Amino acid sequence: MSSRDRILARVRAAVDGAPEAPAPARSYLHSHTPDDPAAVLDLLHHNLADYRARVHRTDGAGVAPLIAGLLAARGATSVLVPTGVPDTWLMDTGRVRVVEDTEESTAAELDAVDSVITGCALAVAETGTIILDAGPAQGRRRITLVPDHHICVVRVPGQVVASVPQAMDRLDPRRPLTWISGPSATSDIELDRVEGVHGPRTLDVVLLGP
């Protein structure tokens, strides 16, 4: 018997005959925000910016030139694009080299990419959080952790919720969920803030309306 099997056997013996765990209480408030899409969007914008994300609003006609402008301002010569990102988002990228994510991509190769463009699963207004679940236009988790610049497009209003409980109702817990609140940042015991240690140093969030 392996160490793993012995540990699991002890756990099973310890809980054998134990009563069923009570159902979790669901009487808490599911949202602190008025049921007003405009107010929810404004709150999302405010909290994203409070976390030092750079927030931009546009519509379908403006998304391509906006993304091109963000890449140009960054001086990006290459951009990583996962499967599912609409071609219309990239129409104005010009000479920026588009890099596809592959299983063979190494960390060093991803680190050499200037920027990455993704969609998202949801955005939570009350916490200023973007959630990725590796769905269409999002790619794998590593492509949003290694490059230093992340452009994330949030479709408004369909991908915006007011609160975390509302988000949990719409997410599949079996998927690899990544929760992003602003660019990567950490601080030491003296509260000196350092950005870019655990992920992208710069996060541009595009709120894409109809």
Side-chain angles (χ1 to χ4, degrees), residues 3-209:
S3 297
R4 176 179 180 274
D5 292 335
R6 285 195 295 271
I7 292 171
L8 291 177
R10 291 175 64 184
V11 171
R12 294 188 190 99
V15 301
D16 185 38
E20 291 291 329
R26 302 295 187 191
S27 57
Y28 49 79
L29 190 63
H30 274 230
S31 173
H32 299 268
T33 307
D35 187 16
D36 176 1
V40 171
L41 183 59
D42 287 342
L43 181 62
L44 173 64
H45 188 148
H46 172 80
N47 286 332
L48 285 168
D50 193 48
Y51 273 119
R52 301 194 188 184
R54 304 190 303 189
V55 187
H56 318 269
R57 297 196 192 193
T58 189
D59 57 15
V63 65
L66 173 59
I67 287 176
L70 295 176
L71 294 173
R74 182 77 181 180
T77 60
S78 60
V79 59
L80 183 64
V81 179
T83 301
V85 167
D87 292 338
T88 53
W89 295 2
L90 308 171
M91 290 173 55
D92 295 341
T93 51
R95 297 183 180 180
V96 179
R97 179 171 59 91
V98 176
V99 180
E100 294 183 3
D101 178 37
T102 66
E103 293 184 5
E104 293 76 23
S105 299
T106 65
E109 290 170 339
L110 293 175
D111 190 46
V113 174
D114 294 320
S115 303
V116 57
I117 300 173
T118 74
C120 73
L122 289 175
V124 183
E126 290 180 355
T127 59
T129 303
I130 304 294
I131 306 174
L132 310 179
D133 68 357
Q138 298 170 58
R140 289 171 288 180
R141 177 178 288 139
R142 65 179 185 171
I143 72 170
T144 58
L145 295 178
V146 181
D148 203 40
H149 178 216
H150 181 190
I151 300 173
C152 184
V153 179
V154 181
R155 297 183 184 274
V156 177
Q159 292 183 321
V160 178
V161 296
S163 65
V164 170
Q166 290 177 357
M168 296 304 295
D169 287 341
R170 292 178 52 176
L171 294 169
D172 184 347
R174 296 169 297 182
R175 298 192 65 82
L177 302 177
T178 303
W179 298 61
I180 303 170
S181 296
S184 167
T186 188
S187 59
D188 60 20
I189 195 171
E190 295 181 351
L191 301 182
D192 291 326
R193 180 182 172 100
V194 179
E195 297 180 348
V197 176
H198 308 295
R201 195 184 317 270
T202 303
L203 174 63
D204 279 301
V205 178
V206 177
L207 302 178
L208 175 59

